[in-house]
Amino acid sequence: MADQELLLEVKDLHVSYGAIKAIKGISLHVKRGEVVTILGANGAGKTTTLRTISGLLKSSEGHIFFNKEDITHTQAHDIVTLGMSHSPEGRRVFGTLSVEENLMMGAYTLKTHDKETLAWIYEILPRLKERRQQLAGTLSGGEQQMLAIGRAIMSKPQLLILDEPSLGLAPVLVK
């Protein structure tokens, strides 16, 4: 594996909540263009790992490299500007903003209104287009999940982190 291919590298990551050690030395890497999945039981540390990678939590040991840059102690909002976006577990939409305003919040680091990406999101998630003027807090859980994922995509990230992406979605089988 050549270093230039690495997009993300996590080395010996340790994370604690007070005296409770939630992550004890996880290491992983993601190559550009690769899809990586973290599987495990409830409470195994999947969400904690993802929140630490995206800067929402701080590690007690270890290092996180994104595009070869050490981002271990970088603030979450700065990590977004580097090209990483995180759609968190539990959706966390801005309930008093419309669907479209929520999506545009995802593009705030671009300093421009990206109509092409917005149109693409409406194409792949047509329910959001139907509800673009509706307040996000009035959407169903599945619609809020779609909105959270769409918002994360709006920043055009090099690395998209999805935590429990299918939570609340009710798939429909097409015959």
Side-chain angles (χ1 to χ4, degrees):
M1 166 180 57
D3 281 342
Q4 70 269 18
E5 294 178 356
L6 285 181
L7 183 59
L8 175 73
E9 185 172 19
V10 177
K11 293 182 176 181
D12 195 31
L13 195 66
H14 294 253
V15 182
S16 297
Y17 293 104
I20 300 169
K21 295 186 182 209
I23 305 293
K24 303 170 190 168
I26 189 171
S27 295
L28 62 93
H29 65 271
V30 179
K31 293 180 184 178
R32 193 170 304 281
E34 190 173 44
V35 175
V36 174
T37 303
I38 300 174
L39 300 173
N42 288 341
K46 301 176 300 292
T47 294
T48 298
T49 299
L50 299 179
R51 289 175 53 84
T52 306
I53 290 169
S54 64
L56 297 170
L57 294 173
K58 296 302 169 198
S59 63
S60 54
E61 293 179 48
H63 291 278
I64 304 165
F65 297 92
F66 182 62
N67 282 323
K68 298 183 189 176
E69 181 179 340
D70 189 340
I71 62 165
T72 307
H73 302 292
T74 305
Q75 296 294 316
H77 63 275
D78 291 325
I79 290 173
V80 173
T81 64
L82 294 173
M84 186 187 303
S85 188
H86 183 170
S87 178
E89 178 183 25
R91 302 177 292 274
R92 311 212 195 227
V93 298
F94 300 102
T96 59
L97 298 180
S98 71
V99 166
E100 192 154 305
E101 288 168 331
N102 266 270
L103 290 170
M104 296 314 297
M105 289 296 289
Y108 82 94
T109 60
L110 300 178
K111 310 274 192 269
T112 181
H113 293 291
D114 184 0
K115 294 181 189 217
E116 287 178 15
T117 304
L118 183 62
W120 182 68
I121 289 170
Y122 285 153
E123 183 180 323
I124 63 170
L125 300 169
R127 176 72 83 190
L128 296 183
K129 184 175 184 179
E130 292 171 15
R131 303 193 185 272
R132 67 181 172 265
Q133 298 306 318
Q134 187 172 329
L135 294 181
T138 65
L139 297 174
S140 72
E143 291 166 339
Q144 287 184 19
Q145 186 67 27
M146 286 186 265
L147 179 55
I149 292 169
R151 185 181 61 206
I153 294 169
M154 282 297 293
S155 68
K156 296 183 178 180
Q158 296 173 57
L159 179 65
L160 177 61
I161 296 174
L162 301 174
D163 192 358
E164 298 281 355
S166 63
L167 190 66
L169 296 179
V172 176
L173 296 176
V174 179
K175 294 181 181 182

